[in-house]
């Protein structure tokens, strides 16, 4: 079913927990967007040199994990104990091979660890200290917890604790974020990857959709590649990333119809925020969200680069 495109596509999201415009200075917005461009260029360079979609999404997400502006790797959210527990996953649409990490506390780039796990049949998913120990055996860099903490995440945890005490509601940006990428390579292969610190003030040991293949990440050649952001529990309940593929495959929906239907039926009526970035086999890009904004960007089949944060 795979076609061979002559052109390649990469698209990413930096989470649907975008804060209101007034909360960041112009310089901070520009800095975050510059990191999105850098991530897109890292992925696109891989694709232009004939690299695989899997290599491209790994390269792209690694840049976002290293950026302090997004909730993954450096800049990840803090849990209820004031610690970082990192989730990530990656999937190759050509082979259905996948790798996933849950609750890692030391590996610098969880997406790279997920990729290492993708290379083997069993285990394809590791959690907690075992994940970090495996990272060391694979020669991946580990960091102290302090590396992942940024002043903004510490403030968000304090704000969430205050909301709990006062019974007030948190904004989307205080709560969460995530990064993810999807790609189509010159051989017609699709891939997706997602990485997150999860929710600010999340329960210790809580695992979100970003670590769950089929929920937060999914790729299948001939159909689509998907990476999700938003309340992970809802993405797991509705197996969203896989459901998008199923709606295209069995329900004859387009990629955008599938993503819109899921957000409209399973998220918005419950007041739950969600965002989806996806591409189909033809390289059509879909970026849907029901929150105030979603960091996102892509380099399309014509090589045009696009970056946006809100509904622009
Ligand atoms: N989906 C992530 C999680 O539930 C958080 C997010 O994307 O905002 O862990």
């Amino acid at each position: 079913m795979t076609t061979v495109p002559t052109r390649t596509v990469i698209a990413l999201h930096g989470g649907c927990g975008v804060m209101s415009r007034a909360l960041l200075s112009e310089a901070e917005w520009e800095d975050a967007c510059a990191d999105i461009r850098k991530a897109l260029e890292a992925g696109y360079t891989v694709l232009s040199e004939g690299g695989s979609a899997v290599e491209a999404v790994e390269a792209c997400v690694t840049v976002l994990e290293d950026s302090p502006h997004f909730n993954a790797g450096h800049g990840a959210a803090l849990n209820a104990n004031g610690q970082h527990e990192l989730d990530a996953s990656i999937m190759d649409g050509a082979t259905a091979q996948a790798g996933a990490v849950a609750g890692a506390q030391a590996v610098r780039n969880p997406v790279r660890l997920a990729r290492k796990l993708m290379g083997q049949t069993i285990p394809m998913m590791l959690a907690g200290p075992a994940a970090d120990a495996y990272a060391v055996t694979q020669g991946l860099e580990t960091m102290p917890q302090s590396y992942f903490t940024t002043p903004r995440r510490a403030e968000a945890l304090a704000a969430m604790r205050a909301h709990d005490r006062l019974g007030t509601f948190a904004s989307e940006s205080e709560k969460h974020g995530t990064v993810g990428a999807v790609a189509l390579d010159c051989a017609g292969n699709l891939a997706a990857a997602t990485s997150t610190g999860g929710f600010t003030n999340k329960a210790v040991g809580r695992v979100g959709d970003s670590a769950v293949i089929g929920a937060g990440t999914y790729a299948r050649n001939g159909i689509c590649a998907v990476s999700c952001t938003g309340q992970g529990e809802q993405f797991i309940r509705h197996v969203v990333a896989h459901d998008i593929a199923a709606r295209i495959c069995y329900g004859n929906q387009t990629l955008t119809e599938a993503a819109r239907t899921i957000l409209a039926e399973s998220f918005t009526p419950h007041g739950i925020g969600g965002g989806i970035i996806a591409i189909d086999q033809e390289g059509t890009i879909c970026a849907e969200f029901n929150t105030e904004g979603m960091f996102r960007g892509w380099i399309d089949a014509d090589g045009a680069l696009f970056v946006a944060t809100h509904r622009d």
Side-chain angles (χ1 to χ4, degrees):
M1 198 162 171
T2 302
T3 57
V4 181
T6 51
R7 293 172 298 178
T8 56
V9 177
I10 183 129
L12 67 79
H13 69 77
C16 68
V18 175
M19 45 207 85
S20 76
R21 278 207 178 275
L23 282 179
L24 287 189
S25 67
E26 268 315 306
E28 286 171 305
W29 283 115
E30 190 36 56
D31 217 32
C33 290
D35 283 347
I36 289 179
R37 279 192 286 275
K38 199 169 137 194
L40 287 171
E41 277 153 14
Y44 199 70
T45 301
V46 170
L47 296 172
S48 320
E49 290 170 355
S52 70
V54 171
E55 289 164 340
V57 293
E58 180 186 2
C60 184
V61 169
T62 297
V63 172
L64 296 172
E65 286 178 338
D66 287 343
S67 165
H69 299 294
F70 307 102
N71 175 7
H74 178 50
L78 289 153
N79 70 11
N81 270 0
Q83 294 175 323
H84 301 278
E85 292 184 308
L86 312 170
D87 297 342
S89 60
I90 189 165
M91 186 163 189
D92 181 356
T95 59
Q97 290 262 28
V101 181
Q105 293 203 287
V107 64
R108 175 180 172 145
N109 293 109
V111 71
R112 298 189 65 199
L113 178 54
R115 172 83 195 280
K116 293 277 186 195
L117 285 160
M118 195 182 89
Q120 47 183 56
T121 320
I122 299 173
M124 64 160 272
M125 184 173 191
L126 280 176
D132 289 313
Y134 185 70
V136 173
T137 69
Q138 296 302 300
L140 294 180
E141 195 175 357
T142 55
M143 302 300 269
Q145 280 269 300
S146 57
Y147 161 78
F148 301 103
T149 313
T150 58
R152 192 170 292 285
R153 294 303 171 205
E155 282 163 25
L157 180 62
M160 284 297 282
R161 286 174 171 162
H163 286 304
D164 277 359
R165 266 197 322 275
L166 303 170
T168 48
F169 291 105
S171 68
E172 293 287 343
S173 63
E174 285 168 334
K175 281 190 288 192
H176 60 102
T178 279
V179 305
V182 291
L184 172 67
D185 67 29
C186 63
N189 295 315
L190 292 165
T194 311
S195 179
T196 192
F199 271 63
T200 301
N201 207 25
K202 68 184 181 180
V204 174
R206 177 262 188 192
V207 176
D209 62 312
S210 308
V212 181
I213 293 297
T217 305
Y218 191 71
R220 187 159 155 202
N221 272 18
I223 306 175
C224 63
V226 182
S227 173
C228 303
T229 169
Q231 199 190 89
E233 285 70 10
Q234 199 74 348
F235 281 94
I236 294 172
R237 284 186 193 104
H238 291 272
V239 204
V240 171
H242 181 267
D243 191 36
I244 289 176
R247 284 168 182 273
I248 296 169
C249 199
Y250 311 125
N252 286 323
Q253 287 191 331
T254 65
L255 181 62
T256 301
E257 279 166 2
R260 281 191 184 155
T261 307
I262 289 171
L263 288 175
E265 289 180 359
S266 305
F267 286 73
T268 308
H270 306 285
I272 295 175
I276 293 161
I277 193 102
I279 49 172
D280 66 16
Q281 188 64 52
E282 283 67 49
T284 310
I285 298 161
C286 162
E288 292 293 326
F289 53 98
N290 68 354
T291 52
E292 190 179 336
M294 178 170 80
F295 283 110
R296 62 200 183 281
W298 50 79
I299 300 179
D300 68 16
D302 297 320
L305 186 144
F306 173 87
V307 173
T309 55
H310 294 75
R311 293 204 171 269
D312 31 50

